[in-house]
PDB file of all heavy atoms in Angstrom:
ATOM      1  N   THR Z   1     -14.637 -62.533 -11.986  1.00  0.00           N
ATOM      2  CA  THR Z   1     -14.667 -61.661 -13.158  1.00  0.00           C
ATOM      3  C   THR Z   1     -13.403 -61.322 -13.729  1.00  0.00           C
ATOM      4  O   THR Z   1     -13.092 -61.315 -14.808  1.00  0.00           O
ATOM      5  CB  THR Z   1     -15.649 -60.433 -12.941  1.00  0.00           C
ATOM      6  OG1 THR Z   1     -16.930 -60.890 -12.423  1.00  0.00           O
ATOM      7  CG2 THR Z   1     -15.692 -59.473 -14.092  1.00  0.00           C
ATOM      8  N   GLN Z   2     -12.433 -60.999 -12.817  1.00  0.00           N
ATOM      9  CA  GLN Z   2     -11.084 -60.583 -13.259  1.00  0.00           C
ATOM     10  C   GLN Z   2     -10.493 -61.765 -13.880  1.00  0.00           C
ATOM     11  O   GLN Z   2      -9.792 -61.595 -14.960  1.00  0.00           O
ATOM     12  CB  GLN Z   2     -10.322 -60.072 -11.903  1.00  0.00           C
ATOM     13  CG  GLN Z   2     -10.702 -58.762 -11.430  1.00  0.00           C
ATOM     14  CD  GLN Z   2     -10.119 -58.432 -10.158  1.00  0.00           C
ATOM     15  OE1 GLN Z   2      -9.358 -59.166  -9.411  1.00  0.00           O
ATOM     16  NE2 GLN Z   2     -10.445 -57.220  -9.484  1.00  0.00           N
ATOM     17  N   LEU Z   3     -10.506 -62.918 -13.304  1.00  0.00           N
ATOM     18  CA  LEU Z   3      -9.807 -64.019 -13.865  1.00  0.00           C
ATOM     19  C   LEU Z   3     -10.347 -64.428 -15.092  1.00  0.00           C
ATOM     20  O   LEU Z   3      -9.654 -64.783 -16.150  1.00  0.00           O
ATOM     21  CB  LEU Z   3      -9.985 -65.288 -12.936  1.00  0.00           C
ATOM     22  CG  LEU Z   3      -9.072 -65.215 -11.559  1.00  0.00           C
ATOM     23  CD1 LEU Z   3      -9.456 -66.291 -10.721  1.00  0.00           C
ATOM     24  CD2 LEU Z   3      -7.600 -65.278 -11.906  1.00  0.00           C
ATOM     25  N   HIS Z   4     -11.711 -64.406 -15.289  1.00  0.00           N
ATOM     26  CA  HIS Z   4     -12.406 -64.702 -16.515  1.00  0.00           C
ATOM     27  C   HIS Z   4     -11.968 -63.823 -17.612  1.00  0.00           C
ATOM     28  O   HIS Z   4     -11.656 -64.180 -18.723  1.00  0.00           O
ATOM     29  CB  HIS Z   4     -13.957 -64.650 -16.430  1.00  0.00           C
ATOM     30  CG  HIS Z   4     -14.669 -65.057 -17.574  1.00  0.00           C
ATOM     31  ND1 HIS Z   4     -14.988 -64.155 -18.457  1.00  0.00           N
ATOM     32  CD2 HIS Z   4     -15.125 -66.251 -18.035  1.00  0.00           C
ATOM     33  CE1 HIS Z   4     -15.760 -64.634 -19.503  1.00  0.00           C
ATOM     34  NE2 HIS Z   4     -15.791 -66.092 -19.173  1.00  0.00           N
ATOM     35  N   SER Z   5     -11.913 -62.437 -17.449  1.00  0.00           N
ATOM     36  CA  SER Z   5     -11.578 -61.517 -18.498  1.00  0.00           C
ATOM     37  C   SER Z   5     -10.134 -61.646 -18.827  1.00  0.00           C
ATOM     38  O   SER Z   5      -9.748 -61.340 -20.008  1.00  0.00           O
ATOM     39  CB  SER Z   5     -11.909 -60.133 -18.136  1.00  0.00           C
ATOM     40  OG  SER Z   5     -11.230 -59.672 -16.963  1.00  0.00           O
ATOM     41  N   LYS Z   6      -9.217 -61.995 -17.816  1.00  0.00           N
ATOM     42  CA  LYS Z   6      -7.860 -62.098 -18.146  1.00  0.00           C
ATOM     43  C   LYS Z   6      -7.301 -63.284 -18.807  1.00  0.00           C
ATOM     44  O   LYS Z   6      -6.440 -63.301 -19.640  1.00  0.00           O
ATOM     45  CB  LYS Z   6      -7.029 -61.680 -16.869  1.00  0.00           C
ATOM     46  CG  LYS Z   6      -5.613 -61.462 -17.039  1.00  0.00           C
ATOM     47  CD  LYS Z   6      -4.911 -60.924 -15.819  1.00  0.00           C
ATOM     48  CE  LYS Z   6      -3.433 -60.686 -15.972  1.00  0.00           C
ATOM     49  NZ  LYS Z   6      -2.822 -60.117 -14.846  1.00  0.00           N
ATOM     50  N   TYR Z   7      -7.827 -64.385 -18.324  1.00  0.00           N
ATOM     51  CA  TYR Z   7      -7.237 -65.746 -18.635  1.00  0.00           C
ATOM     52  C   TYR Z   7      -8.131 -66.668 -19.549  1.00  0.00           C
ATOM     53  O   TYR Z   7      -7.631 -67.634 -19.966  1.00  0.00           O
ATOM     54  CB  TYR Z   7      -6.705 -66.501 -17.473  1.00  0.00           C
ATOM     55  CG  TYR Z   7      -5.755 -65.634 -16.614  1.00  0.00           C
ATOM     56  CD1 TYR Z   7      -6.100 -65.177 -15.442  1.00  0.00           C
ATOM     57  CD2 TYR Z   7      -4.443 -65.633 -17.175  1.00  0.00           C
ATOM     58  CE1 TYR Z   7      -5.149 -64.417 -14.705  1.00  0.00           C
ATOM     59  CE2 TYR Z   7      -3.462 -65.003 -16.565  1.00  0.00           C
ATOM     60  CZ  TYR Z   7      -3.800 -64.375 -15.185  1.00  0.00           C
ATOM     61  OH  TYR Z   7      -2.870 -63.593 -14.397  1.00  0.00           O
ATOM     62  N   PHE Z   8      -9.367 -66.258 -19.733  1.00  0.00           N
ATOM     63  CA  PHE Z   8     -10.218 -67.339 -20.340  1.00  0.00           C
ATOM     64  C   PHE Z   8     -11.010 -66.749 -21.498  1.00  0.00           C
ATOM     65  O   PHE Z   8     -11.260 -65.569 -21.640  1.00  0.00           O
ATOM     66  CB  PHE Z   8     -11.350 -67.900 -19.321  1.00  0.00           C
ATOM     67  CG  PHE Z   8     -10.746 -68.626 -18.156  1.00  0.00           C
ATOM     68  CD1 PHE Z   8     -10.279 -67.970 -16.989  1.00  0.00           C
ATOM     69  CD2 PHE Z   8     -10.351 -69.897 -18.273  1.00  0.00           C
ATOM     70  CE1 PHE Z   8      -9.584 -68.687 -16.049  1.00  0.00           C
ATOM     71  CE2 PHE Z   8      -9.571 -70.780 -17.319  1.00  0.00           C
ATOM     72  CZ  PHE Z   8      -9.376 -70.047 -16.128  1.00  0.00           C
ATOM     73  N   ASN Z   9     -11.468 -67.676 -22.487  1.00  0.00           N
ATOM     74  CA  ASN Z   9     -12.219 -67.287 -23.558  1.00  0.00           C
ATOM     75  C   ASN Z   9     -13.668 -67.008 -23.013  1.00  0.00           C
ATOM     76  O   ASN Z   9     -14.054 -67.397 -21.965  1.00  0.00           O
ATOM     77  CB  ASN Z   9     -12.291 -68.486 -24.620  1.00  0.00           C
ATOM     78  CG  ASN Z   9     -10.905 -68.560 -25.096  1.00  0.00           C
ATOM     79  OD1 ASN Z   9     -10.311 -67.575 -25.512  1.00  0.00           O
ATOM     80  ND2 ASN Z   9     -10.658 -69.816 -25.499  1.00  0.00           N
ATOM     81  N   GLN Z  10     -14.580 -66.401 -23.854  1.00  0.00           N
ATOM     82  CA  GLN Z  10     -15.869 -66.095 -23.469  1.00  0.00           C
ATOM     83  C   GLN Z  10     -16.676 -67.111 -22.943  1.00  0.00           C
ATOM     84  O   GLN Z  10     -17.364 -66.900 -21.736  1.00  0.00           O
ATOM     85  CB  GLN Z  10     -16.659 -65.510 -24.617  1.00  0.00           C
ATOM     86  CG  GLN Z  10     -18.001 -64.972 -24.425  1.00  0.00           C
ATOM     87  CD  GLN Z  10     -17.942 -63.722 -23.576  1.00  0.00           C
ATOM     88  OE1 GLN Z  10     -16.980 -62.944 -23.534  1.00  0.00           O
ATOM     89  NE2 GLN Z  10     -19.019 -63.369 -22.915  1.00  0.00           N
ATOM     90  N   ASN Z  11     -16.622 -68.354 -23.346  1.00  0.00           N
ATOM     91  CA  ASN Z  11     -17.452 -69.473 -22.943  1.00  0.00           C
ATOM     92  C   ASN Z  11     -16.872 -70.327 -21.760  1.00  0.00           C
ATOM     93  O   ASN Z  11     -17.371 -71.344 -21.355  1.00  0.00           O
ATOM     94  CB  ASN Z  11     -18.014 -70.387 -23.989  1.00  0.00           C
ATOM     95  CG  ASN Z  11     -19.019 -69.501 -24.915  1.00  0.00           C
ATOM     96  OD1 ASN Z  11     -19.743 -68.608 -24.425  1.00  0.00           O
ATOM     97  ND2 ASN Z  11     -18.732 -69.733 -26.178  1.00  0.00           N
ATOM     98  N   ASP Z  12     -15.543 -70.008 -21.465  1.00  0.00           N
ATOM     99  CA  ASP Z  12     -14.838 -70.937 -20.496  1.00  0.00           C
ATOM    100  C   ASP Z  12     -14.846 -70.113 -19.206  1.00  0.00           C
ATOM    101  O   ASP Z  12     -14.950 -68.944 -19.008  1.00  0.00           O
ATOM    102  CB  ASP Z  12     -13.347 -70.999 -20.920  1.00  0.00           C
ATOM    103  CG  ASP Z  12     -12.974 -71.901 -22.195  1.00  0.00           C
ATOM    104  OD1 ASP Z  12     -13.960 -72.664 -22.457  1.00  0.00           O
ATOM    105  OD2 ASP Z  12     -12.195 -71.672 -22.804  1.00  0.00           O
ATOM    106  N   PHE Z  13     -14.858 -70.942 -18.146  1.00  0.00           N
ATOM    107  CA  PHE Z  13     -14.829 -70.494 -16.832  1.00  0.00           C
ATOM    108  C   PHE Z  13     -16.070 -69.442 -16.481  1.00  0.00           C
ATOM    109  O   PHE Z  13     -15.888 -68.353 -15.845  1.00  0.00           O
ATOM    110  CB  PHE Z  13     -13.486 -69.634 -16.501  1.00  0.00           C
ATOM    111  CG  PHE Z  13     -13.232 -69.536 -15.126  1.00  0.00           C
ATOM    112  CD1 PHE Z  13     -12.900 -70.498 -14.214  1.00  0.00           C
ATOM    113  CD2 PHE Z  13     -12.958 -68.180 -14.552  1.00  0.00           C
ATOM    114  CE1 PHE Z  13     -12.567 -70.379 -12.775  1.00  0.00           C
ATOM    115  CE2 PHE Z  13     -12.586 -67.965 -13.194  1.00  0.00           C
ATOM    116  CZ  PHE Z  13     -12.421 -69.050 -12.455  1.00  0.00           C
ATOM    117  N   ASP Z  14     -17.135 -69.893 -17.021  1.00  0.00           N
ATOM    118  CA  ASP Z  14     -18.319 -69.023 -16.955  1.00  0.00           C
ATOM    119  C   ASP Z  14     -19.319 -69.412 -15.705  1.00  0.00           C
ATOM    120  O   ASP Z  14     -20.289 -68.722 -15.559  1.00  0.00           O
ATOM    121  CB  ASP Z  14     -19.075 -69.076 -18.194  1.00  0.00           C
ATOM    122  CG  ASP Z  14     -19.624 -70.404 -18.555  1.00  0.00           C
ATOM    123  OD1 ASP Z  14     -19.205 -71.465 -18.023  1.00  0.00           O
ATOM    124  OD2 ASP Z  14     -20.443 -70.368 -19.525  1.00  0.00           O
ATOM    125  N   GLN Z  15     -18.970 -70.358 -15.008  1.00  0.00           N
ATOM    126  CA  GLN Z  15     -19.760 -70.722 -13.785  1.00  0.00           C
ATOM    127  C   GLN Z  15     -19.114 -70.360 -12.564  1.00  0.00           C
ATOM    128  O   GLN Z  15     -17.850 -70.359 -12.439  1.00  0.00           O
ATOM    129  CB  GLN Z  15     -20.081 -72.234 -13.758  1.00  0.00           C
ATOM    130  CG  GLN Z  15     -20.779 -72.756 -14.987  1.00  0.00           C
ATOM    131  CD  GLN Z  15     -22.188 -72.098 -15.151  1.00  0.00           C
ATOM    132  OE1 GLN Z  15     -22.874 -72.064 -14.176  1.00  0.00           O
ATOM    133  NE2 GLN Z  15     -22.481 -71.801 -16.365  1.00  0.00           N
ATOM    134  N   ILE Z  16     -19.966 -69.836 -11.578  1.00  0.00           N
ATOM    135  CA  ILE Z  16     -19.254 -69.643 -10.205  1.00  0.00           C
ATOM    136  C   ILE Z  16     -20.197 -70.249  -9.194  1.00  0.00           C
ATOM    137  O   ILE Z  16     -21.293 -69.959  -9.060  1.00  0.00           O
ATOM    138  CB  ILE Z  16     -19.010 -68.112 -10.103  1.00  0.00           C
ATOM    139  CG1 ILE Z  16     -18.519 -67.847  -8.704  1.00  0.00           C
ATOM    140  CG2 ILE Z  16     -20.358 -67.341 -10.269  1.00  0.00           C
ATOM    141  CD1 ILE Z  16     -17.977 -66.403  -8.409  1.00  0.00           C
ATOM    142  N   SER Z  17     -19.543 -71.262  -8.552  1.00  0.00           N
ATOM    143  CA  SER Z  17     -20.234 -71.996  -7.409  1.00  0.00           C
ATOM    144  C   SER Z  17     -20.039 -71.277  -6.134  1.00  0.00           C
ATOM    145  O   SER Z  17     -18.820 -71.344  -5.630  1.00  0.00           O
ATOM    146  CB  SER Z  17     -19.767 -73.447  -7.446  1.00  0.00           C
ATOM    147  OG  SER Z  17     -20.309 -74.161  -6.434  1.00  0.00           O
ATOM    148  N   MET Z  18     -21.106 -70.814  -5.558  1.00  0.00           N
ATOM    149  CA  MET Z  18     -20.885 -70.272  -4.157  1.00  0.00           C
ATOM    150  C   MET Z  18     -22.365 -70.276  -3.559  1.00  0.00           C
ATOM    151  O   MET Z  18     -23.311 -70.164  -4.218  1.00  0.00           O
ATOM    152  CB  MET Z  18     -20.270 -68.910  -4.135  1.00  0.00           C
ATOM    153  CG  MET Z  18     -21.142 -67.912  -5.059  1.00  0.00           C
ATOM    154  SD  MET Z  18     -20.157 -66.201  -5.032  1.00  0.00           S
ATOM    155  CE  MET Z  18     -21.387 -65.262  -5.965  1.00  0.00           C
ATOM    156  N   GLY Z  19     -22.411 -70.438  -2.207  1.00  0.00           N
ATOM    157  CA  GLY Z  19     -23.667 -70.546  -1.509  1.00  0.00           C
ATOM    158  C   GLY Z  19     -24.040 -71.961  -1.123  1.00  0.00           C
ATOM    159  O   GLY Z  19     -23.751 -72.872  -2.014  1.00  0.00           O
ATOM    160  N   MET Z  20     -24.725 -72.049  -0.065  1.00  0.00           N
ATOM    161  CA  MET Z  20     -25.239 -73.317   0.422  1.00  0.00           C
ATOM    162  C   MET Z  20     -26.630 -72.996   0.881  1.00  0.00           C
ATOM    163  O   MET Z  20     -27.165 -71.981   0.779  1.00  0.00           O
ATOM    164  CB  MET Z  20     -24.230 -73.777   1.619  1.00  0.00           C
ATOM    165  CG  MET Z  20     -22.961 -74.110   1.119  1.00  0.00           C
ATOM    166  SD  MET Z  20     -21.686 -74.660   2.384  1.00  0.00           S
ATOM    167  CE  MET Z  20     -22.315 -76.312   2.529  1.00  0.00           C
ATOM    168  N   SER Z  21     -27.224 -74.098   1.449  1.00  0.00           N
ATOM    169  CA  SER Z  21     -28.585 -74.037   1.802  1.00  0.00           C
ATOM    170  C   SER Z  21     -28.997 -72.789   2.571  1.00  0.00           C
ATOM    171  O   SER Z  21     -29.996 -72.149   2.406  1.00  0.00           O
ATOM    172  CB  SER Z  21     -29.013 -75.260   2.621  1.00  0.00           C
ATOM    173  OG  SER Z  21     -29.060 -76.278   1.821  1.00  0.00           O
ATOM    174  N   GLN Z  22     -28.185 -72.333   3.623  1.00  0.00           N
ATOM    175  CA  GLN Z  22     -28.542 -71.223   4.431  1.00  0.00           C
ATOM    176  C   GLN Z  22     -28.261 -69.931   3.836  1.00  0.00           C
ATOM    177  O   GLN Z  22     -28.685 -68.948   4.376  1.00  0.00           O
ATOM    178  CB  GLN Z  22     -27.706 -71.376   5.775  1.00  0.00           C
ATOM    179  CG  GLN Z  22     -26.196 -71.116   5.717  1.00  0.00           C
ATOM    180  CD  GLN Z  22     -25.508 -72.362   5.356  1.00  0.00           C
ATOM    181  OE1 GLN Z  22     -25.980 -73.371   5.024  1.00  0.00           O
ATOM    182  NE2 GLN Z  22     -24.170 -72.413   5.391  1.00  0.00           N
ATOM    183  N   ASP Z  23     -27.504 -69.893   2.792  1.00  0.00           N
ATOM    184  CA  ASP Z  23     -27.230 -68.499   2.141  1.00  0.00           C
ATOM    185  C   ASP Z  23     -27.305 -68.370   0.497  1.00  0.00           C
ATOM    186  O   ASP Z  23     -26.810 -67.444  -0.014  1.00  0.00           O
ATOM    187  CB  ASP Z  23     -25.743 -68.049   2.620  1.00  0.00           C
ATOM    188  CG  ASP Z  23     -24.710 -69.010   2.300  1.00  0.00           C
ATOM    189  OD1 ASP Z  23     -24.855 -69.917   1.398  1.00  0.00           O
ATOM    190  OD2 ASP Z  23     -23.625 -68.913   2.997  1.00  0.00           O
ATOM    191  N   TYR Z  24     -28.010 -69.428   0.073  1.00  0.00           N
ATOM    192  CA  TYR Z  24     -28.038 -69.483  -1.461  1.00  0.00           C
ATOM    193  C   TYR Z  24     -28.725 -68.293  -1.993  1.00  0.00           C
ATOM    194  O   TYR Z  24     -28.251 -67.870  -3.171  1.00  0.00           O
ATOM    195  CB  TYR Z  24     -28.680 -70.769  -1.929  1.00  0.00           C
ATOM    196  CG  TYR Z  24     -30.222 -70.827  -1.750  1.00  0.00           C
ATOM    197  CD1 TYR Z  24     -31.112 -70.439  -2.800  1.00  0.00           C
ATOM    198  CD2 TYR Z  24     -30.818 -71.160  -0.599  1.00  0.00           C
ATOM    199  CE1 TYR Z  24     -32.314 -70.479  -2.751  1.00  0.00           C
ATOM    200  CE2 TYR Z  24     -32.175 -71.276  -0.445  1.00  0.00           C
ATOM    201  CZ  TYR Z  24     -32.993 -70.772  -1.529  1.00  0.00           C
ATOM    202  OH  TYR Z  24     -34.418 -70.753  -1.437  1.00  0.00           O
ATOM    203  N   LYS Z  25     -29.667 -67.690  -1.364  1.00  0.00           N
ATOM    204  CA  LYS Z  25     -30.442 -66.495  -2.007  1.00  0.00           C
ATOM    205  C   LYS Z  25     -29.373 -65.279  -2.147  1.00  0.00           C
ATOM    206  O   LYS Z  25     -29.447 -64.602  -3.070  1.00  0.00           O
ATOM    207  CB  LYS Z  25     -31.527 -66.018  -1.204  1.00  0.00           C
ATOM    208  CG  LYS Z  25     -32.727 -67.076  -1.178  1.00  0.00           C
ATOM    209  CD  LYS Z  25     -33.745 -66.644  -0.185  1.00  0.00           C
ATOM    210  CE  LYS Z  25     -34.861 -67.740  -0.335  1.00  0.00           C
ATOM    211  NZ  LYS Z  25     -36.010 -67.303   0.590  1.00  0.00           N
ATOM    212  N   ILE Z  26     -28.517 -65.138  -1.159  1.00  0.00           N
ATOM    213  CA  ILE Z  26     -27.514 -63.984  -1.212  1.00  0.00           C
ATOM    214  C   ILE Z  26     -26.471 -64.442  -2.389  1.00  0.00           C
ATOM    215  O   ILE Z  26     -26.179 -63.571  -3.169  1.00  0.00           O
ATOM    216  CB  ILE Z  26     -26.813 -63.863   0.147  1.00  0.00           C
ATOM    217  CG1 ILE Z  26     -27.836 -63.433   1.219  1.00  0.00           C
ATOM    218  CG2 ILE Z  26     -25.726 -62.937  -0.042  1.00  0.00           C
ATOM    219  CD1 ILE Z  26     -27.246 -63.398   2.589  1.00  0.00           C
ATOM    220  N   ALA Z  27     -26.156 -65.686  -2.320  1.00  0.00           N
ATOM    221  CA  ALA Z  27     -25.197 -66.171  -3.428  1.00  0.00           C
ATOM    222  C   ALA Z  27     -25.715 -65.887  -4.816  1.00  0.00           C
ATOM    223  O   ALA Z  27     -25.039 -65.339  -5.712  1.00  0.00           O
ATOM    224  CB  ALA Z  27     -24.811 -67.501  -3.273  1.00  0.00           C
ATOM    225  N   ILE Z  28     -26.944 -66.220  -5.021  1.00  0.00           N
ATOM    226  CA  ILE Z  28     -27.557 -65.822  -6.365  1.00  0.00           C
ATOM    227  C   ILE Z  28     -27.447 -64.415  -6.734  1.00  0.00           C
ATOM    228  O   ILE Z  28     -27.339 -63.918  -7.790  1.00  0.00           O
ATOM    229  CB  ILE Z  28     -28.975 -66.513  -6.448  1.00  0.00           C
ATOM    230  CG1 ILE Z  28     -28.764 -68.088  -6.423  1.00  0.00           C
ATOM    231  CG2 ILE Z  28     -29.660 -66.082  -7.677  1.00  0.00           C
ATOM    232  CD1 ILE Z  28     -30.031 -68.771  -6.267  1.00  0.00           C
ATOM    233  N   GLU Z  29     -27.936 -63.588  -5.741  1.00  0.00           N
ATOM    234  CA  GLU Z  29     -28.074 -62.106  -5.825  1.00  0.00           C
ATOM    235  C   GLU Z  29     -26.721 -61.523  -6.257  1.00  0.00           C
ATOM    236  O   GLU Z  29     -26.604 -60.590  -6.863  1.00  0.00           O
ATOM    237  CB  GLU Z  29     -28.591 -61.459  -4.554  1.00  0.00           C
ATOM    238  CG  GLU Z  29     -30.085 -61.716  -4.335  1.00  0.00           C
ATOM    239  CD  GLU Z  29     -30.525 -61.343  -2.944  1.00  0.00           C
ATOM    240  OE1 GLU Z  29     -29.699 -60.836  -1.990  1.00  0.00           O
ATOM    241  OE2 GLU Z  29     -31.737 -61.530  -2.687  1.00  0.00           O
ATOM    242  N   GLU Z  30     -25.722 -62.150  -5.653  1.00  0.00           N
ATOM    243  CA  GLU Z  30     -24.334 -61.732  -5.836  1.00  0.00           C
ATOM    244  C   GLU Z  30     -23.547 -62.344  -7.134  1.00  0.00           C
ATOM    245  O   GLU Z  30     -22.443 -62.169  -7.286  1.00  0.00           O
ATOM    246  CB  GLU Z  30     -23.475 -61.857  -4.650  1.00  0.00           C
ATOM    247  CG  GLU Z  30     -23.944 -60.991  -3.440  1.00  0.00           C
ATOM    248  CD  GLU Z  30     -24.061 -59.515  -3.731  1.00  0.00           C
ATOM    249  OE1 GLU Z  30     -23.188 -59.013  -4.595  1.00  0.00           O
ATOM    250  OE2 GLU Z  30     -24.906 -58.808  -3.160  1.00  0.00           O
ATOM    251  N   GLY Z  31     -24.405 -63.111  -7.870  1.00  0.00           N
ATOM    252  CA  GLY Z  31     -23.791 -63.668  -9.186  1.00  0.00           C
ATOM    253  C   GLY Z  31     -23.498 -65.164  -9.155  1.00  0.00           C
ATOM    254  O   GLY Z  31     -23.027 -65.634 -10.109  1.00  0.00           O
ATOM    255  N   GLY Z  32     -23.862 -65.843  -8.040  1.00  0.00           N
ATOM    256  CA  GLY Z  32     -23.489 -67.182  -8.139  1.00  0.00           C
ATOM    257  C   GLY Z  32     -24.431 -67.978  -9.180  1.00  0.00           C
ATOM    258  O   GLY Z  32     -25.696 -67.643  -9.394  1.00  0.00           O
ATOM    259  N   THR Z  33     -23.922 -68.969  -9.847  1.00  0.00           N
ATOM    260  CA  THR Z  33     -24.612 -69.628 -10.946  1.00  0.00           C
ATOM    261  C   THR Z  33     -24.833 -71.098 -10.458  1.00  0.00           C
ATOM    262  O   THR Z  33     -25.606 -71.825 -11.152  1.00  0.00           O
ATOM    263  CB  THR Z  33     -23.808 -69.681 -12.167  1.00  0.00           C
ATOM    264  OG1 THR Z  33     -22.611 -70.202 -12.098  1.00  0.00           O
ATOM    265  CG2 THR Z  33     -23.786 -68.267 -12.754  1.00  0.00           C
ATOM    266  N   MET Z  34     -24.174 -71.550  -9.411  1.00  0.00           N
ATOM    267  CA  MET Z  34     -24.235 -72.943  -8.828  1.00  0.00           C
ATOM    268  C   MET Z  34     -24.375 -72.721  -7.402  1.00  0.00           C
ATOM    269  O   MET Z  34     -23.473 -72.058  -6.814  1.00  0.00           O
ATOM    270  CB  MET Z  34     -23.202 -73.833  -9.277  1.00  0.00           C
ATOM    271  CG  MET Z  34     -23.062 -74.119 -10.753  1.00  0.00           C
ATOM    272  SD  MET Z  34     -21.481 -74.790 -11.065  1.00  0.00           S
ATOM    273  CE  MET Z  34     -22.072 -76.333 -11.702  1.00  0.00           C
ATOM    274  N   VAL Z  35     -25.346 -73.473  -6.670  1.00  0.00           N
ATOM    275  CA  VAL Z  35     -25.353 -73.377  -5.272  1.00  0.00           C
ATOM    276  C   VAL Z  35     -25.511 -74.876  -4.733  1.00  0.00           C
ATOM    277  O   VAL Z  35     -25.946 -75.761  -5.478  1.00  0.00           O
ATOM    278  CB  VAL Z  35     -26.515 -72.526  -4.818  1.00  0.00           C
ATOM    279  CG1 VAL Z  35     -26.453 -70.996  -5.086  1.00  0.00           C
ATOM    280  CG2 VAL Z  35     -27.899 -73.097  -5.350  1.00  0.00           C
ATOM    281  N   ARG Z  36     -25.148 -75.093  -3.630  1.00  0.00           N
ATOM    282  CA  ARG Z  36     -25.111 -76.301  -2.903  1.00  0.00           C
ATOM    283  C   ARG Z  36     -26.233 -76.349  -1.820  1.00  0.00           C
ATOM    284  O   ARG Z  36     -26.091 -75.612  -0.943  1.00  0.00           O
ATOM    285  CB  ARG Z  36     -23.759 -76.693  -2.288  1.00  0.00           C
ATOM    286  CG  ARG Z  36     -22.702 -76.797  -3.289  1.00  0.00           C
ATOM    287  CD  ARG Z  36     -21.364 -76.751  -2.727  1.00  0.00           C
ATOM    288  NE  ARG Z  36     -21.052 -75.432  -2.150  1.00  0.00           N
ATOM    289  CZ  ARG Z  36     -20.302 -74.553  -2.624  1.00  0.00           C
ATOM    290  NH1 ARG Z  36     -19.523 -74.772  -3.438  1.00  0.00           N
ATOM    291  NH2 ARG Z  36     -20.099 -73.385  -2.105  1.00  0.00           N
ATOM    292  N   ILE Z  37     -27.322 -77.075  -2.163  1.00  0.00           N
ATOM    293  CA  ILE Z  37     -28.478 -77.089  -1.252  1.00  0.00           C
ATOM    294  C   ILE Z  37     -28.821 -78.388  -0.734  1.00  0.00           C
ATOM    295  O   ILE Z  37     -29.995 -78.695  -0.508  1.00  0.00           O
ATOM    296  CB  ILE Z  37     -29.716 -76.380  -1.919  1.00  0.00           C
ATOM    297  CG1 ILE Z  37     -29.972 -77.030  -3.266  1.00  0.00           C
ATOM    298  CG2 ILE Z  37     -29.468 -74.810  -2.121  1.00  0.00           C
ATOM    299  CD1 ILE Z  37     -31.326 -76.611  -3.854  1.00  0.00           C
ATOM    300  N   GLY Z  38     -27.902 -79.311  -0.514  1.00  0.00           N
ATOM    301  CA  GLY Z  38     -28.089 -80.581  -0.068  1.00  0.00           C
ATOM    302  C   GLY Z  38     -28.927 -80.765   1.248  1.00  0.00           C
ATOM    303  O   GLY Z  38     -29.794 -81.578   1.407  1.00  0.00           O
ATOM    304  N   SER Z  39     -28.570 -79.828   2.215  1.00  0.00           N
ATOM    305  CA  SER Z  39     -29.303 -79.934   3.411  1.00  0.00           C
ATOM    306  C   SER Z  39     -30.722 -79.424   3.367  1.00  0.00           C
ATOM    307  O   SER Z  39     -31.639 -80.039   4.067  1.00  0.00           O
ATOM    308  CB  SER Z  39     -28.598 -78.960   4.473  1.00  0.00           C
ATOM    309  OG  SER Z  39     -27.366 -79.273   4.790  1.00  0.00           O
ATOM    310  N   SER Z  40     -31.117 -78.527   2.373  1.00  0.00           N
ATOM    311  CA  SER Z  40     -32.542 -78.263   2.245  1.00  0.00           C
ATOM    312  C   SER Z  40     -33.243 -79.334   1.614  1.00  0.00           C
ATOM    313  O   SER Z  40     -34.470 -79.481   1.875  1.00  0.00           O
ATOM    314  CB  SER Z  40     -32.524 -76.962   1.278  1.00  0.00           C
ATOM    315  OG  SER Z  40     -32.111 -75.860   1.938  1.00  0.00           O
ATOM    316  N   ILE Z  41     -32.614 -80.121   0.780  1.00  0.00           N
ATOM    317  CA  ILE Z  41     -33.282 -81.264   0.172  1.00  0.00           C
ATOM    318  C   ILE Z  41     -33.344 -82.517   1.069  1.00  0.00           C
ATOM    319  O   ILE Z  41     -34.338 -83.146   1.228  1.00  0.00           O
ATOM    320  CB  ILE Z  41     -32.622 -81.680  -1.161  1.00  0.00           C
ATOM    321  CG1 ILE Z  41     -32.604 -80.419  -2.198  1.00  0.00           C
ATOM    322  CG2 ILE Z  41     -33.150 -82.953  -1.742  1.00  0.00           C
ATOM    323  CD1 ILE Z  41     -31.855 -80.584  -3.321  1.00  0.00           C
ATOM    324  N   PHE Z  42     -32.137 -82.935   1.652  1.00  0.00           N
ATOM    325  CA  PHE Z  42     -32.074 -84.031   2.415  1.00  0.00           C
ATOM    326  C   PHE Z  42     -32.110 -83.941   3.878  1.00  0.00           C
ATOM    327  O   PHE Z  42     -32.198 -84.927   4.648  1.00  0.00           O
ATOM    328  CB  PHE Z  42     -30.705 -84.877   1.957  1.00  0.00           C
ATOM    329  CG  PHE Z  42     -30.681 -85.126   0.573  1.00  0.00           C
ATOM    330  CD1 PHE Z  42     -29.677 -84.401  -0.289  1.00  0.00           C
ATOM    331  CD2 PHE Z  42     -31.421 -86.045  -0.100  1.00  0.00           C
ATOM    332  CE1 PHE Z  42     -29.675 -84.779  -1.662  1.00  0.00           C
ATOM    333  CE2 PHE Z  42     -31.313 -86.389  -1.367  1.00  0.00           C
ATOM    334  CZ  PHE Z  42     -30.448 -85.672  -2.102  1.00  0.00           C
TER     335      PHE Z  42
END
């Protein structure tokens, strides 16, 4: 959030990838917009 507001335009740098299969729910709750869930799928 700090980097976005200081260095980027409104539509740039708007995704935040955090969380994996074991913790994706927490990542989403804390603002993650992309999660890696390969182990849950494969």
Side-chain angles (χ1 to χ4, degrees):
T1 300
Q2 291 171 358
L3 290 172
H4 183 267
S5 65
K6 188 170 182 178
Y7 297 108
F8 294 92
N9 294 325
Q10 185 68 21
N11 294 325
D12 294 335
F13 198 64
D14 59 347
Q15 300 296 315
I16 181 169
S17 176
M18 59 184 185
M20 298 177 76
S21 293
Q22 68 276 11
D23 55 20
Y24 76 92
K25 290 179 184 178
I26 298 170
I28 292 169
E29 290 170 356
E30 294 303 330
T33 58
M34 298 168 118
V35 293
R36 296 164 294 248
I37 55 169
S39 296
S40 291
I41 296 169
F42 301 110

